[in-house]
Amino acid sequence: MNDKLQKYFPDLFSSHAQEIHRLYKQKLEEVAKLQNNCSSAIARQRKKIKEISVSLQEYVPDGDSHSCHASLSIHRERSSAFAEMESFLPKKNGLYLNLVLGNVNVTLLNKQSKFAYKDEYEKFKLVLTVILLLFSFMCRFIFTYRTLDAMFNFLSVWYYCTLTIRESILINNGSRLVVFHHYVSTFLSGVMLTWPEGVLYQMFRNQFLMYCMYQSFVQFLQYYYQSGCLYRLRALGERHNMDLTVEGFQSWMWRGLSFLLPFLFLFWQFYNSITLFKMAQLPNCKEWQVCRDVRLLLPGPLHGNVFTTLGVVYQKYRN
Amino acid sequence: MNDKLQKYFPDLFSSHAQEIHRLYKQKLEEVAKLQNNCSSAIARQRKKIKEISVSLQEYVPDGDSHSCHASLSIHRERSSAFAEMESFLPKKNGLYLNLVLGNVNVTLLNKQSKFAYKDEYEKFKLVLTVILLLFSFMCRFIFTYRTLDAMFNFLSVWYYCTLTIRESILINNGSRLVVFHHYVSTFLSGVMLTWPEGVLYQMFRNQFLMYCMYQSFVQFLQYYYQSGCLYRLRALGERHNMDLTVEGFQSWMWRGLSFLLPFLFLFWQFYNSITLFKMAQLPNCKEWQVCRDVRLLLPGPLHGNVFTTLGVVYQKYRN
Ligand SMILES: CC(C)(COP(=O)(O)OP(=O)(O)OC[C@H]1O[C@@H](n2cnc3c(N)ncnc32)[C@H](O)[C@@H]1OP(=O)(O)O)[C@@H](O)C(=O)NCCC(=O)NCCS
Ligand SMILES: CC(C)(COP(=O)(O)OP(=O)(O)OC[C@H]1O[C@@H](n2cnc3c(N)ncnc32)[C@H](O)[C@@H]1OP(=O)(O)O)[C@@H](O)C(=O)NCCC(=O)NCCS
């Protein structure tokens, strides 16, 4: 029977797919070997350059600043070349990714997929920001059920956890994201989630929901800022004729940033921590969240958040 | 200056690393192209085989069961060959992974790294099981602070979330894991986390902690069962002289399984849901978790869990 089939449908038995697959597996092995070679070659050259720099500094007379300069500039030039090369090699996961995902390789091995991933990340943020905005609006102005609040807080916790994972993947792929504030937000949402129903909860609830709505609104603005950045960076990176200059980009960035910053800072963070602090001093404060933890812990990260933003802006200014 | 350096340290300027890197990027592109080819070739052949099967069934006289059989066996044989091929091709993420990680490729492209990943997953479970066991022991018998309970529940939620992510990665890599019960556990821990302090909480707390300790203990036993499975499967897969036969493995597996099952089933699940049900009927039941949600929701998934396990065992029995 098989012979008959083979006669009528030769295609069925053609080993075209098998052939490609064999070739593919072979190439895969070659790539893996090359990856190892590449990594070790880079490591070796790194070591060598370090040794040479050291010996240059030892043997060259102190006055000869010229050679020191030369060695430094070589060092810098090479380092950036190596960093560029390494961005196409699989990279070991950081602590957080290793804990959550384990030892799976999340490096995106070409520029397009890196950009696509960042793009998707921004879209994900946009969609969930809008959902959270509507949700908090609903909780604030329409329904006041504790169960609904808990669902809202669950969603926030999930959202921020997911963000930190995706951001770690981005960082693994060479992004310079600042993610500290998302860990803080995760923690905050966790505290709100476990806050028991009571007078104090009702006191803080409305303010917290307003803060969430405001936060979502700021993220919404940020989305436009970030996607503008991304669009321009891509234009800079992909076209080499540079009809969008780096300077043009920087001025655009600074305009966007100075528009955003007042919103990021505005009194909310301080206002929140002051309210919590006042609540902790009320006589009827029995709930564990406010008394023991919030008073001590919350104002810290909230201000930390502000300082991180300041740090980012300072670094941008120095560059 | 650079010339002088170049004379003394030729190594520094050797483009060995660059050369390898160029080659590597080239190979990387070839591999990407081959991956696409391979996927489309498989898809094409799949379609063709389907067409042929259909036309065979149409044109061959009904009585000719022989040819039907032949077409079926070809179908099956080819399908498994394709599945084998596809396990080395990058695969699209499922819904859950796509939500959490986005569109990053988590396929492990060779057998060793698949085994290593599974191994790491088992170790991760072991470590966290031991930690949770100690933690719940501490909460049950040493300290009774609500804050500590909340920390324990936080850790559980995080652990189960992480497990579901890792398991989705394993499933993406071709594992036949049964993960339903971990989604249930995540939900359970979430409910415990948001349960407000009160009489009912104190009533259920001890039972819940005992249940957690017991659960960790079962997982500990399971670890030995699973790692035994893994070790034997690896031995079967890697050595072709088969000094460990498939039958030997299956008998070992059945012995392990029948040792485990009583522990997995024991009355705990039923006991827990009955307790909750009784508590929901108490007059002083004001807390939202018990009244509205737990009564309706918890017994469902708890029994679902038992049925899943039964299903797995039944499937094993049929094979
Ligand atoms: C101040 C701020 C808007 C500057 O953004 P920026 O101009 O993109 O900053 P940088 O150029 O230093 O960012 C470098 C990288 O981080 C990204 N980035 C920084 N902060 C980001 C954020 N909150 N969300 C998304 N991406 C961010 C940039 O896109 C860029 O990514 P890339 O290297 O992959 O291209 C940003 O750092 C920020 O939002 N900080 C948090 C402050 C905050 O939210 N505080 C109050 C609410 S809790
Ligand atoms: C019953 C049970 C022990 C059977 O385990 P098993 O013999 O490994 O089952 P299978 O052979 O069908 O498993 C196939 C795959 O799933 C894995 N697997 C199944 N259940 C697993 C579990 N709970 N943890 C880890 N791996 C599991 C196996 O290792 C195997 O993986 P692989 O394809 O990557 O090699 C397992 O299904 C189980 O634990 N179910 C949950 C029941 C439970 O925990 N209920 C009560 C507490 S809530």
Side-chain angles (χ1 to χ4, degrees), chain B residues 37-56:
Chain B
N37 282 353
C38 222
S39 304
S40 57
I42 289 176
R44 233 179 304 123
Q45 284 222 337
R46 273 230 169 97
K47 210 174 126 210
K48 206 168 277 167
I49 286 179
K50 216 172 166 190
E51 282 169 12
I52 291 174
S53 302
V54 170
S55 57
L56 260 180

Side-chain angles (χ1 to χ4, degrees), chain B residues 83-268:
Chain B
E84 164 73 19
M85 283 184 200
E86 272 172 344
S87 77
F88 293 97
L89 289 169
K91 207 170 145 190
K92 275 218 158 159
N93 290 342
L95 179 71
Y96 185 66
L97 272 187
N98 230 339
L99 268 177
V100 176
L101 298 185
N103 197 9
V104 68
N105 173 28
V106 292
T107 317
L108 299 163
L109 292 179
N110 58 54
K111 277 243 164 74
Q112 291 98 290
S113 50
K114 278 179 210 248
F115 270 125
Y117 190 69
K118 183 83 194 257
D119 231 17
E120 204 200 337
Y121 160 79
E122 294 293 344
K123 288 229 179 71
F124 171 77
K125 284 213 306 194
L126 181 67
V127 170
L128 268 138
T129 298
V130 170
I131 293 177
L132 283 174
L133 185 62
L134 294 179
F135 210 149
S136 51
F137 183 83
M138 202 174 74
C139 285
R140 174 70 184 82
F141 294 111
I142 310 185
F143 307 108
T144 43
Y145 294 125
R146 183 67 172 84
T147 314
L148 214 64
D149 287 8
M151 276 165 67
F152 172 71
N153 286 319
F154 250 129
L155 188 65
S156 305
V157 171
W158 178 80
Y159 168 62
Y160 286 115
C161 280
T162 306
L163 269 194
T164 52
I165 296 175
R166 287 191 184 215
E167 278 158 0
S168 307
I169 293 177
L170 280 170
I171 288 173
N172 183 289
N173 280 292
S175 166
R176 291 153 302 125
L177 273 171
V178 181
V179 296
F180 174 71
H181 55 297
H182 289 151
Y183 291 97
V184 175
S185 302
T186 313
F187 177 76
L188 260 176
S189 309
V191 168
M192 281 310 288
L193 185 62
T194 53
W195 195 323
E197 176 80 31
V199 187
L200 287 178
Y201 177 78
Q202 288 301 339
M203 269 171 75
F204 191 57
R205 177 180 177 276
N206 284 349
Q207 180 176 341
F208 180 73
L209 285 173
M210 287 302 284
Y211 172 68
C212 288
M213 280 167 64
Y214 166 78
Q215 177 95 309
S216 303
F217 174 69
V218 169
Q219 289 237 319
F220 196 76
L221 291 184
Q222 242 177 335
Y223 171 76
Y224 280 101
Y225 169 70
Q226 299 276 359
S227 64
C229 275
L230 200 61
Y231 166 75
R232 278 168 182 78
L233 278 179
R234 187 173 339 192
L236 283 178
E238 280 183 1
R239 300 195 226 157
H240 276 290
N241 52 347
M242 293 243 174
D243 49 354
L244 265 166
T245 60
V246 179
E247 285 78 34
F249 168 69
Q250 277 189 342
S251 92
W252 182 90
M253 180 194 81
W254 276 110
R255 248 185 304 133
L257 206 56
S258 48
F259 174 68
L260 255 181
L261 274 182
F263 289 97
L264 289 178
F265 278 121
L266 227 76
F267 61 108
W268 271 112

Side-chain angles (χ1 to χ4, degrees), chain A residues 1-9 12-13, chain B residues 52-53 55-57 59-61 63-74:
Chain A
M1 185 66 208
N2 265 359
D3 307 332
K4 228 156 108 192
L5 276 174
Q6 191 148 19
K7 209 174 95 197
Y8 291 122
F9 309 104
L12 194 56
F13 293 84
Chain B
I52 291 174
S53 302
S55 57
L56 260 180
Q57 249 140 28
Y59 294 117
V60 160
D64 194 353
S65 65
H66 192 64
S67 63
C68 276
H69 260 283
S71 100
L72 265 181
S73 81
I74 288 170

Side-chain angles (χ1 to χ4, degrees), chain A residues 115-301:
Chain A
F115 270 126
Y117 190 69
K118 184 84 193 257
D119 231 17
E120 204 199 336
Y121 160 79
E122 294 293 346
K123 287 228 179 71
F124 171 77
K125 283 212 306 193
L126 182 67
V127 170
L128 267 136
T129 299
V130 171
I131 293 177
L132 284 174
L133 185 62
L134 293 180
F135 210 149
S136 51
F137 182 83
M138 201 173 74
C139 286
R140 175 70 184 83
F141 293 111
I142 310 186
F143 306 108
T144 43
Y145 294 125
R146 182 68 171 84
T147 316
L148 215 65
D149 286 8
M151 277 165 67
F152 172 70
N153 286 319
F154 250 130
L155 188 65
S156 305
V157 171
W158 178 80
Y159 168 62
Y160 286 116
C161 280
T162 305
L163 270 194
T164 51
I165 296 174
R166 287 191 183 216
E167 279 158 0
S168 307
I169 293 177
L170 280 169
I171 287 171
N172 183 290
N173 280 294
S175 166
R176 292 153 301 127
L177 274 170
V178 181
V179 296
F180 173 71
H181 55 294
H182 288 151
Y183 291 98
V184 174
S185 302
T186 313
F187 177 76
L188 260 176
S189 309
V191 169
M192 281 309 289
L193 186 62
T194 54
W195 195 323
E197 175 79 32
V199 188
L200 286 178
Y201 177 78
Q202 288 300 339
M203 267 172 75
F204 190 58
R205 177 180 177 276
N206 284 349
Q207 182 177 339
F208 180 74
L209 284 173
M210 288 302 285
Y211 171 69
C212 287
M213 280 167 64
Y214 165 79
Q215 177 96 308
S216 302
F217 175 68
V218 169
Q219 289 237 322
F220 197 76
L221 289 184
Q222 241 176 336
Y223 170 77
Y224 280 102
Y225 170 69
Q226 299 275 3
S227 64
C229 275
L230 201 62
Y231 166 75
R232 279 168 182 77
L233 278 179
R234 185 173 338 192
L236 283 177
E238 281 184 359
R239 299 195 227 158
H240 275 292
N241 52 348
M242 294 244 175
D243 48 354
L244 265 166
T245 61
V246 179
E247 285 78 34
F249 168 68
Q250 278 190 340
S251 93
W252 182 87
M253 181 193 79
W254 276 109
R255 248 186 303 133
L257 207 56
S258 49
F259 174 68
L260 257 180
L261 275 181
F263 289 97
L264 289 178
F265 278 121
L266 228 75
F267 61 108
W268 272 110
Q269 313 253 351
F270 292 100
Y271 181 48
N272 277 338
S273 48
I274 286 170
T275 311
L276 285 171
F277 192 75
K278 272 195 187 149
M279 279 165 76
Q281 294 176 320
L282 287 181
N284 63 341
C285 163
K286 299 187 302 287
E287 281 120 2
W288 62 271
Q289 270 87 350
V290 193
C291 294
R292 262 181 250 148
D293 305 314
V294 174
R295 183 171 46 178
L296 299 171
L297 295 179
L298 279 195

Side-chain angles (χ1 to χ4, degrees), chain A residues 56-57 60-62 64-74, chain B residues 1:
Chain A
L56 259 179
Q57 247 140 29
V60 159
D62 297 277
D64 194 353
S65 65
H66 192 64
S67 64
C68 277
H69 261 283
S71 100
L72 264 182
S73 81
I74 288 170
Chain B
M1 185 65 208

